[in-house]
Amino acid sequence: MSAEDLTNLKISDDSVATPAAPAGEEKDVSIQDDTIPTETAAVDGKNGEAKMGEEEEDKSGTHQSAHPFLFTDAKEEQRLLASTFEVNVTLADQQANPDSPLYSAKTFEDLGLHPSLLKGLYAMKFSKPSKIQEKALPLLLANPPMNMIAQSQSGTGKTAAFSLTMLSRISYDLQQPQAICLAPSRELARQTQDVVNRMGQFTPMKTFLAVKESWNRDTRVDAQIIIGTPGTVMDMIAKRVLPIKDIKVLVLDEADEMMDLQGLGDQTLRIRKMLPPNTQTLLFSATFPDKVVSFSQKFAPNANQIRLKQEELSVEGIKQFFMDCADNEAKYDVLLEIYNLLTVGQSIIFCRKRDTADEIASRMTADGHSVASLHGSKDTGDRDAIIDGFREGKTKVLITTNVIARGIDISQVTMVINYDIPTTGFGPQTRADTETYLHRVGRTGRFGRQGVAINFISDANSYRWVQELQQDLGVEITAVKTQDYEEMEKILKSILKS
Ligand SMILES: Nc1ncnc2c1ncn2[C@@H]1O[C@H](COP(=O)(O)OP(=O)(O)OP(=O)(O)O)[C@@H](O)[C@H]1O
C-alpha cells in the first residue's frame, strides 16, 4: 500500500473500537517473526540500504524554581525551559476554551498527580512542565479519558507527558497489563522503559520490555506497563503471553512512523483493533506529515489535538550547515578532518547504508577514533551494548542508519553529521526526506541545549536536497567551506561553547 493510500484507508470507528478478540481469533493472527526495528522493516536486503525503517519565560531574571534544590543555576533552568514556539490546541469539545486555566498546568503540582509520581519527577530533576507537558497533561489526565494527537519539536519532553499518563491511569493493585507503549526501535523502547521506571520508582508498579528475545512462551506478563516494538507485542498477544483485557491506554510514540503502512503500520493497526473499545489512544511525534493526518484522526477518533505549523518544527538551538565535498570518497576525508580538528563531546553520524556505517567505523577506528556502528543487522545483545556504551560516554561517535533517527535522548550529543542526506526514495528524482531529517538532527539540541548539524553534499542532487530542506522547514542551512578548516573550527567551537 502506498503512503498516499493512508488517507484513503477506511477505518470505521467500530473497527478501531473492536473489543479484545476472542481467544480463537487471536490464534489466527498471522505474525511476522518479531520486532521489526525501523530499518529492518523497510530495508532492501541486498544492498543493506536503510530506508526508514519550555516554559515560561521569566523576564525578571529572578525566577525561583518551585523546587530550588533541583537546579543550582536558575538561569540554566530558564535557558533549558525557554521556548518561543506556540502550540495550537484543538479540543475535541469545541465548546471548551483552550485558554482556560483548566487546560494548562504551570506546575506539576497543579495536575493532581499521585505524590509518589511527583517524588519521581523531582528525583529526575523535573521542576516544572515544559510547554508540551503544560498543554497536554491536563487533557491527557482528564476524566473521562480522551484520545490525543500531540506534536511538539524533538527534545521538548513528549516522553514524560505520555509516561505520566500511563503511570496515572494504571491501578497499582491489579497485577495485569494496563498500558501499552509502542515504539519503532528496540533502542527507543528500552529508553522509554527506563524513563517510566525512573518516574514510577516510588510506586509499586512494574514495567515489561517487549522486544526481541525479552520474553518466552511460558511466562505470562503481569506488569502493568508494557513498552515494546509492535512485532513483539503482537506476537506476545497472539501467543497469549500478554493479556490485553485490562488495557486502558495505548501510546504510539513516533506515531507517524508507527502508522506508516509501508513499515510498522500494519502491526500497529492490528494491535489497536484487538484492544478494549475504550482504550485511550495517544499519538505523539515531532512530525505528522499531511499523508498521515487523516489516518491518525481515524486511529484516535475525537482526539484533542496539539499541532505545530511546518515552520515551527525546527529546533532553534540546532545550527545547521552543509559542506560541499568533491565527491563521495572525499566525504570521508572531510569527516576525518572534522574529528581531527574538533573535540566535540559526543556525536552521531547518519549514513544511508549499513555497509557505509560499518566501513566508516572501521576506517575511523584505524585512524584512532573512539567509534561504534549500530544498525539493524547487528545482534540484539550487540545493539544493547553499543547504545549503552555510547550513552555512558564510553564511545564518543556513533555511526548509524535511520534505526536510531528517532527518539533517542542523549543530552551530551552536540553534533549530528548527515554523511548521507536522508531522502524519500532512491535515484536521481528522489527528494529530501524532511521528517527523517528533523528527527536525525533532533538527536542534538535536546531540551533547549545547543547543537550543530552538518550535511555533506557531493553532487547536484545532494545540493538540491539541502535547498529542499531549507524551503520545507524555513531554516537556513549555511555553507561552510571544506578547504577552510580553520574557519570551520571557529564556527563550530563558538556554537558548541555557547
Ligand atoms: N519538565 C522537564 N524538566 C526538565 N527536563 C525535562 C522535562 N521534560 C523532559 N525533560 C528532559 O528533556 C529531554 C528530552 O525529552 P524527551 O526525550 O521526552 O523529548 P521528546 O519530545 O520525546 O523528543 P523526540 O521528539 O526526539 O522523541 C530528556 O532528557 C528529558 O529528561
Side-chain angles (χ1 to χ4, degrees):
M1 185 172 299
S2 78
E4 286 70 31
D5 289 343
L6 278 175
T7 40
N8 302 325
L9 194 87
K10 295 266 181 297
I11 312 177
S12 63
D13 284 354
D14 62 353
S15 75
V16 169
T18 301
E25 277 176 41
E26 285 185 12
K27 269 196 211 148
D28 291 334
V29 177
S30 77
I31 301 294
Q32 291 166 19
D33 192 32
D34 196 29
T35 320
I36 311 234
T38 314
E39 142 185 82
T40 321
V43 145
D44 175 340
K46 283 189 201 123
N47 60 10
E49 297 240 12
K51 286 192 206 162
M52 224 5 226
E54 292 154 58
E55 91 43 340
E56 289 216 40
E57 236 181 298
D58 184 351
K59 295 198 175 83
S60 70
T62 55
H63 169 77
Q64 292 293 314
S65 162
H67 298 276
F69 57 92
L70 298 179
F71 282 89
T72 44
D73 182 346
K75 278 206 176 126
E76 173 68 357
E77 178 192 5
Q78 232 178 292
R79 190 180 69 77
L80 292 176
L81 289 171
S83 164
T84 52
F85 74 92
E86 280 300 319
V87 292
N88 301 318
V89 182
T90 312
L91 299 171
D93 175 359
Q94 294 297 323
Q95 304 301 311
N97 171 11
D99 296 326
S100 147
L102 285 174
Y103 295 105
S104 70
K106 301 285 181 208
T107 69
F108 285 118
E109 292 77 1
D110 289 346
L111 292 163
L113 294 168
H114 192 287
S116 304
L117 292 178
L118 280 177
K119 209 170 152 191
L121 285 168
Y122 303 151
M124 293 174 79
K125 301 196 175 1
F126 286 16
S127 62
K128 63 176 186 173
S130 69
K131 180 85 94 192
I132 181 69
Q133 294 161 4
E134 173 192 320
K135 296 286 179 193
L137 278 165
L139 298 167
L140 290 164
L141 300 176
N143 282 315
M146 300 271 301
N147 293 341
M148 167 73 93
I149 299 172
Q151 181 180 27
S152 158
Q153 295 93 336
S154 54
T156 53
K158 294 183 286 295
T159 314
F162 64 71
S163 299
L164 275 176
T165 311
M166 295 194 290
L167 284 160
S168 300
R169 293 266 178 225
I170 57 169
S171 150
Y172 299 134
D173 303 335
L174 180 64
Q175 311 287 312
Q176 289 289 338
Q178 298 166 55
I180 297 178
C181 172
L182 298 176
S185 70
R186 171 185 191 86
E187 287 74 14
L188 184 52
R190 289 178 78 228
Q191 175 181 291
T192 302
Q193 182 192 28
D194 183 56
V195 171
V196 177
N197 283 344
R198 282 191 288 144
M199 226 168 253
Q201 65 184 291
F202 301 106
T203 74
M205 67 92 204
K206 283 199 295 189
T207 61
F208 185 87
L209 182 68
V211 296
K212 202 172 176 184
E213 291 168 19
S214 73
W215 63 287
N216 64 66
R217 292 185 80 139
D218 305 322
T219 317
R220 219 174 131 96
V221 175
D222 63 359
Q224 291 98 342
I225 300 181
I226 315 301
I227 301 116
T229 45
T232 303
V233 168
M234 186 71 225
D235 212 1
M236 290 175 68
I237 295 172
K239 306 246 165 65
R240 310 223 195 140
V241 174
L242 173 55
I244 51 172
K245 71 174 176 34
D246 294 310
I247 297 290
K248 300 177 216 172
V249 186
L250 171 68
V251 178
L252 299 193
D253 192 11
E254 309 300 343
D256 53 330
E257 188 175 1
M258 303 300 294
M259 293 185 301
D260 180 353
L261 292 178
Q262 290 183 313
L264 302 169
D266 184 38
Q267 284 159 324
T268 308
L269 187 56
R270 283 201 232 168
I271 294 170
R272 176 69 191 91
K273 284 178 175 172
M274 290 193 294
L275 299 181
N278 295 329
T279 301
Q280 182 181 19
T281 302
L282 313 177
L283 311 183
F284 279 80
S285 185
T287 51
F288 281 93
D290 292 345
K291 65 184 184 194
V292 303
V293 167
S294 114
F295 185 70
S296 48
Q297 284 158 359
K298 289 171 184 159
F299 195 94
N302 303 318
N304 290 314
Q305 298 195 43
I306 298 179
R307 295 295 307 279
L308 293 173
K309 297 195 190 103
Q310 179 83 1
E311 64 272 18
E312 295 167 332
L313 294 177
S314 293
V315 174
E316 260 180 37
I318 307 172
K319 299 290 173 263
Q320 301 169 53
F321 300 95
F322 75 90
M323 298 181 80
D324 192 353
C325 312
D327 54 33
N328 207 36
E329 178 53 31
K331 292 203 281 192
Y332 182 75
D333 303 330
V334 174
L335 186 75
L336 206 57
E337 281 298 334
I338 292 177
Y339 283 100
N340 285 340
L341 270 172
L342 294 171
T343 320
V344 185
Q346 283 185 266
S347 58
I348 304 181
I349 301 170
F350 285 103
C351 306
R352 171 184 286 231
K353 295 180 186 175
R354 298 163 173 183
D355 290 351
T356 314
D358 285 341
E359 190 198 320
I360 297 175
S362 48
R363 287 175 79 176
M364 283 186 79
T365 305
D367 284 319
H369 294 279
S370 154
V371 310
S373 72
L374 173 60
H375 51 70
S377 46
K378 302 247 175 202
D379 288 346
T380 54
D382 288 346
R383 282 175 67 160
D384 294 352
I386 292 165
I387 193 80
D388 292 349
F390 185 65
R391 209 178 273 285
E392 289 158 18
K394 290 180 188 153
T395 28
K396 298 291 176 211
V397 184
L398 190 67
I399 308 168
T400 189
T401 59
N402 282 334
V403 72
I404 66 151
R406 286 174 174 254
I408 295 301
D409 177 58
I410 300 175
S411 56
Q412 58 277 22
V413 171
T414 46
M415 184 165 80
V416 166
I417 295 184
N418 281 318
Y419 195 86
D420 301 310
I421 294 172
T423 54
T424 52
F426 303 95
Q429 296 311 319
T430 189
R431 115 176 267 296
D433 180 345
T434 310
E435 281 78 30
T436 303
Y437 177 82
L438 271 174
H439 288 281
R440 282 186 180 185
V441 303
R443 292 322 98 213
T444 185
R446 307 291 293 168
F447 210 67
R449 292 179 178 81
Q450 300 285 314
V452 170
I454 303 178
N455 299 286
F456 284 2
I457 66 166
S458 58
D459 55 20
N461 284 327
S462 45
Y463 181 73
R464 171 171 55 83
W465 297 332
V466 168
Q467 309 306 315
E468 288 168 356
L469 291 168
Q470 296 198 104
Q471 271 158 23
D472 287 356
L473 297 169
V475 292
E476 195 179 333
I477 305 181
T478 313
V480 185
K481 287 198 185 112
T482 40
Q483 303 85 347
D484 196 349
Y485 288 110
E486 260 179 35
E487 175 64 15
M488 185 176 82
E489 184 182 15
K490 250 195 271 159
I491 294 174
L492 299 186
K493 271 192 175 156
S494 72
I495 292 164
L496 296 178
K497 254 192 227 142
S498 62

